Amino acid sequence: MAHNAFYAQSGGVTAVINASACAVIETCRRHPDRIGKVYAGHNGIIGALTEDLIDVNRESDEAIAALRHTPGGAFGSCRYKLKDIETHRTQYERLIEVFRAHDIRYFFYNGGGDSADTCLKVSQLSEKLGYPLTAIHVPKTVDNDLPITDNSPGFGSVAKYIATSTLEASLDIASMCATSTKVFVLEVMGRHAGWIAASGALAGSGEGEPPHLIIFPEVAFNREAVMARVDEAVKTYGYCVIVVSEGARYEDGTFLADSGNTDAFGHRQLGGVAPTLAGMVKQDLGYKYHWAVADYLQRAARHLASRTDVEQAYAVGEKAVELALAGKNSMMPAIKRVSNTPYAWTIEPAPLAEVANREKFMPREYIREDGFGITEACRQYLSPLIQGEDFPPFENGLPKVAKLALHRVERKLPAFKI
Amino acid sequence: MAHNAFYAQSGGVTAVINASACAVIETCRRHPDRIGKVYAGHNGIIGALTEDLIDVNRESDEAIAALRHTPGGAFGSCRYKLKDIETHRTQYERLIEVFRAHDIRYFFYNGGGDSADTCLKVSQLSEKLGYPLTAIHVPKTVDNDLPITDNSPGFGSVAKYIATSTLEASLDIASMCATSTKVFVLEVMGRHAGWIAASGALAGSGEGEPPHLIIFPEVAFNREAVMARVDEAVKTYGYCVIVVSEGARYEDGTFLADSGNTDAFGHRQLGGVAPTLAGMVKQDLGYKYHWAVADYLQRAARHLASRTDVEQAYAVGEKAVELALAGKNSMMPAIKRVSNTPYAWTIEPAPLAEVANREKFMPREYIREDGFGITEACRQYLSPLIQGEDFPPFENGLPKVAKLALHRVERKLPAFKI
């Protein structure tokens, strides 16, 4: 007998999280004997808690297919971490109550480390309560900080965007440096892990090729050492391109962006790392600078997605449903690298207990000894992840995106306050 | 008898200025009976003044063809304005001396308003001195502020990048706004003219579709009015997307970015408009915000170039040579819009005397009455300019760019100090 499935998106969205959604939904639709309806949580897990469910069955096949090339989170995502299960058991019980009310027996939760943890807890509690739920976590995070999986869907596309943008902007600076900007700073995401910053290094590899400096959150920031390197690059190559992680920090853990930047109103929150670093360049070296902060542009840039990333995002979504149908519970489909050249990968299940609450940082052997670049091992790890293009269809000069109807499912339960 | 040609790039580079270079060189190569060698100025006009010439003839056809999809300025550009001709005649005379020494009779200068002016003056002086020079200005500027021409090559690609980035980032914010960021600010180029900011509006057109506010340099910034609009958008749609020009300013002409932002060292230069505006949102409304500053990324983004823009950049370069060969002097090939739907255009010569030193701002009828958006007339003007894609070839996950040999021409004259 067929039961229903629930899908939700969690945390910061990516260029390809909807490709995973597309895969989950399309794969469910291929199994009408086992899976009846697919419901999506409006704004992630909040949709489940508040019984705010989107009736995915009323979306056309075309609309669902278009999710594959639509950035953002089509059903709404959220920054909402379920609290500790011992003291806030009511939330978990509510989830199961909602699932029961709508005959939901498959729970697909698409997110990062926090959502893997939630997924695991929901699975454990449902078992304890005797409710037959199969919970599968679908990996996603631009930060690439999930353990076990070769990489996290979403990361490869950011990496491709940052590497491409670094390459393009570097050509701009190189052509103007004789009489204009000498130092360019690009700030990228990754507060704890330097994977995205590292991907900027893919823009060049030969002697003197930009970027000339990568600043990782994993390496304590030393102003003197950094400025000496900047000066050397400008004197040797005529200019200096820096890719800096938003998480760059001093030895004592203070973020660079927190280093005293204030606006007219005394707000510290304003400071970005890029303008802070650019200000140091100006003060210490006197060079003309420009800086850019890519912010959401980098994780939303579906127009420049990595085909590898899109394929992997789709594959983990598809595999999630297959695992659920095979009776696997509390699992995450993880990407396993089979070979580097040519890049080959498979999807294999990983127990959620091994995934939850573990962050994967850049290993020291991926960071060059001087701390300002990546090693060959890192390049070999990163390079396959940006391979291939998967341009979306364009309409009237702009990427075409999915338009969903987002019909709501009728509520069956009393309201629940979160 | 064949004589030589000189080509130089001037001012801020674009995603397609090399497409114009490609066109000038390829068209010259098709006329060996009239044009002997093509020399390029290293770092723009400085290369002519210092006799630092690149021997373009030693570049392969393949390398020149690859310029069409390579951003930046392949021969080097410069921010260097020739001084007043009356008091600094030596510079202009030096140019003609260099041209004479290398039998250069065709002068192609690829740039914005300043370089049109230089081109005109060089042409006038060569006539006065009896040196037979044909001077043609090839239009380029991301700011779209050149007069006469329908648009300036370089602008259409920035417009496409900004519209696409606005669309993509808006989908990100829309999916997170329930529990996270409510206001997103994207800062774009255009210190004097709001054309680039206006292009952000192409991301949406329906009621409530982002961007919700455009802030133009042409409209005096009124903090109260802006904040009221931001608040209204957040309350109505759940979030607010703002595209703001770097040139946004108060009634008295003070730039927003100059409004008191200081870093730890008291530098004012650090402030971007986006963080300043975001700080106001936080202070006045208390909403969580994010901001991005696209900076060079926008004008270097060849990977997302408008096909229309690439074609026009090529067409003005080609026409420049044809005009020169037809004996037209002191001209700029200008784009003429023949029809809007479908967009049709031709290239027609415009006298440099009418081009030089005139800036084209957004006309009032292109800005919505409330000052926060564009009119239908503006949309009809802008929309054709972002049509079509022209993705570069990719290699190893990154855009493939031209690799030039950049051989130098042997000097024949004594050194000249600029």
Side-chain angles (χ1 to χ4, degrees):
Chain A
M1 196 197 143
H3 299 282
N4 301 326
F6 174 80
Y7 168 83
Q9 302 177 320
S10 175
V13 294
T14 78
V16 301
I17 186 172
N18 284 335
S20 293
C22 169
V24 166
I25 298 163
E26 290 186 340
T27 312
C28 285
R29 287 186 176 185
R30 282 202 298 274
H31 296 279
D33 52 320
R34 307 281 307 280
I35 298 173
K37 299 206 162 191
V38 179
Y39 299 131
H42 181 224
N43 297 330
I45 203 70
I46 291 175
L49 288 168
T50 61
E51 208 191 351
D52 186 4
L53 307 178
I54 293 160
D55 192 348
V56 176
N57 314 282
R58 296 175 67 184
E59 308 291 347
S60 70
D61 285 347
E62 291 68 32
I64 297 303
L67 286 177
R68 189 175 167 123
H69 55 76
T70 302
F75 302 107
S77 185
C78 67
R79 292 215 176 278
Y80 184 81
K81 191 172 155 61
L82 264 74
K83 299 189 183 78
D84 178 60
I85 197 164
E86 278 72 40
T87 46
H88 294 87
R89 193 169 159 131
T90 45
Q91 286 198 325
Y92 295 87
E93 287 175 348
R94 166 71 177 187
L95 282 180
I96 291 166
E97 192 185 3
V98 170
F99 291 166
R100 195 190 302 269
H102 293 276
D103 191 29
I104 290 164
R105 301 242 180 133
Y106 303 101
F107 172 39
F108 301 105
Y109 202 23
N110 202 169
D114 280 355
S115 59
D117 181 56
T118 300
C119 197
L120 176 63
K121 285 175 178 155
V122 170
S123 167
Q124 290 167 337
L125 191 69
S126 68
E127 207 175 316
K128 220 179 276 181
L129 297 177
Y131 182 74
L133 186 75
T134 305
I136 305 285
H137 182 250
V138 186
K140 166 246 63 163
T141 160
V142 294
D143 290 338
N144 198 36
D145 56 0
L146 285 171
I148 303 178
T149 187
D150 176 63
N151 68 88
S152 305
F155 168 67
S157 293
V158 176
K160 189 182 183 85
Y161 175 89
I162 293 300
T164 299
S165 298
T166 302
L167 170 68
E168 291 178 332
S170 294
L171 289 168
D172 188 311
I173 292 123
S175 49
M176 305 284 298
C177 65
T179 54
S180 185
T181 301
K182 299 248 186 303
V183 178
F184 178 69
V185 183
L186 173 60
E187 174 178 332
V188 304
M189 285 180 158
R191 189 155 283 264
H192 304 294
W195 296 106
I196 298 179
S199 69
L202 296 176
S205 57
E207 158 66 20
E209 281 183 14
H212 305 98
L213 264 93
I214 308 284
I215 298 177
F216 301 99
E218 287 93 345
V219 178
F221 183 80
N222 176 324
R223 179 164 174 168
E224 216 167 275
V226 168
M227 292 303 139
R229 272 312 180 90
V230 172
D231 200 31
E232 191 193 346
V234 173
K235 285 183 172 136
T236 313
Y237 312 114
Y239 67 109
C240 181
V241 172
I242 308 170
V243 178
V244 61
S245 164
E246 61 173 340
R249 68 195 76 184
Y250 292 101
E251 186 75 51
D252 67 1
T254 319
F255 287 113
L256 246 72
D258 263 351
S259 60
N261 245 24
T262 51
D263 73 352
F265 324 114
H267 290 139
R268 296 200 141 210
Q269 204 181 341
L270 279 192
V273 179
T276 302
L277 189 55
M280 291 180 188
V281 167
K282 182 74 184 165
Q283 195 191 36
D284 297 0
L285 306 171
Y287 292 131
K288 186 177 176 195
Y289 61 80
H290 259 245
W291 53 267
V293 177
D295 196 63
Y296 288 157
L297 269 53
Q298 70 200 284
R299 72 180 199 194
R302 180 60 184 81
H303 74 269
L304 189 59
S306 150
R307 194 179 68 227
T308 303
D309 191 33
V310 176
E311 286 171 356
Q312 293 183 333
Y314 192 92
V316 293
E318 187 174 40
K319 188 73 169 189
V321 178
E322 291 169 359
L323 288 174
L325 291 176
K328 307 283 185 189
N329 189 15
S330 280
M331 292 285 182
M332 176 186 91
I335 300 158
K336 187 179 171 183
R337 186 176 299 219
V338 178
S339 87
N340 240 345
T341 333
Y343 182 52
W345 49 276
T346 58
I347 307 286
E348 303 203 347
L352 275 185
E354 293 175 23
V355 174
N357 296 313
R358 279 173 55 199
E359 276 181 276
K360 179 175 73 178
F361 302 104
M362 289 269 290
R364 190 59 187 86
E365 66 267 24
Y366 276 12
I367 300 176
R368 221 169 50 199
E369 204 163 338
D370 65 7
F372 296 133
I374 64 170
T375 60
E376 186 52 35
C378 185
R379 189 174 295 274
Q380 282 184 22
Y381 165 73
L382 290 174
S383 185
L385 309 182
I386 68 164
Q387 298 300 315
E389 294 68 56
D390 189 58
F391 301 116
F394 277 71
E395 191 172 61
N396 207 18
L398 291 169
K400 204 173 162 182
V401 297
K403 301 274 183 200
L404 300 186
L406 302 177
H407 292 291
R408 292 304 197 282
V409 177
E410 210 181 317
R411 283 192 167 85
K412 300 184 172 184
L413 298 171
F416 180 85
K417 206 161 165 62
I418 59 164
Chain B
M1 197 200 144
H3 298 282
N4 301 326
F6 174 82
Y7 168 82
Q9 301 177 321
S10 175
V13 293
T14 79
V16 301
I17 185 173
N18 284 335
S20 293
C22 170
V24 167
I25 297 163
E26 290 187 340
T27 312
C28 285
R29 287 186 176 186
R30 283 202 299 274
H31 296 279
D33 51 319
R34 305 281 308 278
I35 298 173
K37 301 204 160 195
V38 180
Y39 300 130
H42 180 224
N43 297 329
I45 203 70
I46 290 176
L49 288 168
T50 60
E51 207 191 351
D52 185 5
L53 307 178
I54 293 160
D55 191 349
V56 176
N57 313 283
R58 296 176 65 185
E59 308 290 348
S60 69
D61 284 349
E62 292 69 30
I64 296 304
L67 287 176
R68 189 175 168 126
H69 54 76
T70 301
F75 303 107
S77 185
C78 66
R79 292 218 176 277
Y80 184 81
K81 193 172 154 64
L82 263 73
K83 299 188 182 82
D84 177 60
I85 197 164
E86 278 71 41
T87 44
H88 295 85
R89 194 170 158 132
T90 44
Q91 288 198 323
Y92 295 88
E93 287 175 347
R94 166 72 177 186
L95 283 180
I96 290 165
E97 191 184 3
V98 170
F99 291 165
R100 194 190 302 269
H102 293 276
D103 191 30
I104 291 164
R105 300 239 179 136
Y106 303 102
F107 172 40
F108 301 106
Y109 202 25
N110 202 168
D114 281 354
S115 58
D117 181 56
T118 300
C119 197
L120 176 62
K121 284 175 178 156
V122 170
S123 166
Q124 291 167 338
L125 190 69
S126 68
E127 207 175 318
K128 219 180 276 181
L129 297 179
Y131 182 74
L133 186 76
T134 305
I136 306 285
H137 182 250
V138 186
K140 168 245 60 163
T141 159
V142 293
D143 290 339
N144 199 35
D145 57 0
L146 285 170
I148 304 179
T149 185
D150 176 63
N151 69 88
S152 305
F155 169 67
S157 294
V158 176
K160 188 181 185 84
Y161 175 90
I162 294 300
T164 299
S165 298
T166 301
L167 171 67
E168 290 179 332
S170 294
L171 289 168
D172 188 312
I173 293 123
S175 50
M176 305 285 299
C177 64
T179 55
S180 185
T181 301
K182 299 246 186 305
V183 178
F184 178 68
V185 183
L186 173 60
E187 174 179 332
V188 304
M189 285 179 158
R191 189 153 282 264
H192 304 293
W195 296 106
I196 298 178
S199 68
L202 297 176
S205 57
E207 159 66 19
E209 280 183 13
H212 306 99
L213 263 92
I214 307 283
I215 298 177
F216 300 99
E218 287 93 345
V219 178
F221 183 81
N222 177 324
R223 179 164 174 166
E224 217 168 273
V226 168
M227 292 302 139
R229 272 312 180 86
V230 172
D231 199 31
E232 192 193 347
V234 172
K235 286 185 171 132
T236 314
Y237 312 114
Y239 67 109
C240 180
V241 173
I242 309 171
V243 178
V244 60
S245 164
E246 60 174 340
R249 66 194 79 182
Y250 292 100
E251 186 75 52
D252 68 2
T254 319
F255 287 113
L256 247 70
D258 264 350
S259 61
N261 244 24
T262 51
D263 71 353
F265 324 111
H267 290 139
R268 298 199 140 210
Q269 203 182 341
L270 281 191
V273 178
T276 302
L277 189 55
M280 291 180 187
V281 166
K282 182 73 185 167
Q283 196 191 37
D284 296 1
L285 306 170
Y287 292 131
K288 187 179 174 195
Y289 61 80
H290 259 246
W291 53 267
V293 177
D295 196 64
Y296 288 156
L297 269 54
Q298 70 201 284
R299 74 179 197 194
R302 179 62 184 82
H303 74 269
L304 190 60
S306 151
R307 195 179 67 227
T308 303
D309 191 32
V310 175
E311 286 171 356
Q312 292 182 333
Y314 193 92
V316 293
E318 187 174 39
K319 188 73 169 188
V321 178
E322 291 169 1
L323 288 174
L325 291 176
K328 308 282 184 190
N329 190 14
S330 279
M331 291 285 181
M332 176 185 88
I335 300 159
K336 188 178 171 183
R337 187 176 299 222
V338 178
S339 89
N340 241 344
T341 334
Y343 182 51
W345 49 277
T346 57
I347 306 286
E348 301 203 347
L352 275 185
E354 291 175 25
V355 175
N357 297 313
R358 279 174 55 201
E359 275 181 278
K360 179 174 75 177
F361 301 104
M362 289 269 292
R364 191 60 187 85
E365 66 267 25
Y366 276 10
I367 299 176
R368 222 169 52 199
E369 203 161 339
D370 66 9
F372 297 131
I374 64 169
T375 61
E376 187 50 36
C378 184
R379 191 175 294 275
Q380 282 184 22
Y381 165 74
L382 289 174
S383 185
L385 309 183
I386 68 163
Q387 298 300 314
E389 294 68 53
D390 190 58
F391 301 117
F394 277 70
E395 191 173 58
N396 207 17
L398 291 169
K400 205 174 162 180
V401 298
K403 301 273 182 199
L404 301 186
L406 301 178
H407 291 289
R408 295 300 199 283
V409 176
E410 209 182 319
R411 284 192 167 88
K412 299 185 175 184
L413 297 172
F416 181 85
K417 206 161 165 59
I418 58 165

